[in-house]
Amino acid sequence: DLMINFYLASDPNRHVCEVQVVLEKMLVARKGLGGHHGYDQSRNALEILEKQDVLDPAKRWEHAAYLRDVPCVDAPELLHLGYEVKDLLKAGYEEIELRDQEGVTEDELVRAREAIALESRRKNSRRKSTRKGNKLPLLVPSSNALQALARSSSTLARSSSKVAPDHQARD
């Protein structure tokens, strides 16, 4: 398959168009086996997540924080869209907004709080170790490595002195 996405330069809204080039046998197999409908649904869902920049679970809470300030978007809707309780708590939603929502249990709220606290402790410990001035260990070459370097340097010096004057670099 080959898919080409484009927009027309004359279109001020830049509506994205799509052209697909497919081998006939592949198209027959896809349509005849019923896989096309499922493929379309999953691809559309993936494109929406991609557009919303929520594919990376580590960044999902940031988008939830942004959506918190958008009118008509509340915690139950985000839960329905697949955001996790932890994402919403990190984004600044209150537990009261999440409690008693379909599928949100007290255990899940506790686990989310614990996971957030653990992340915070890990982040703080990384900061502390960086602040203490932990430096990378000084790498000292072994005596064998130093001897090998000295041999290669002297070999290089001897070979460069054998170069004819007309082949040496000019200014």
Side-chain angles (χ1 to χ4, degrees), residues 127-146:
R127 280 192 202 139
K128 285 179 186 176
S129 67
T130 305
R131 277 190 223 135
K132 287 181 183 175
N134 289 350
K135 296 177 183 173
L136 292 174
L138 179 61
L139 299 176
V140 179
S142 68
S143 60
N144 290 342
L146 289 172

Side-chain angles (χ1 to χ4, degrees), residues 2-17:
L2 171 67
M3 180 173 60
I4 302 169
N5 290 311
F6 64 96
Y7 64 88
L8 300 175
S10 61
D11 182 1
N13 295 317
R14 293 187 173 181
H15 291 100
V16 177
C17 304

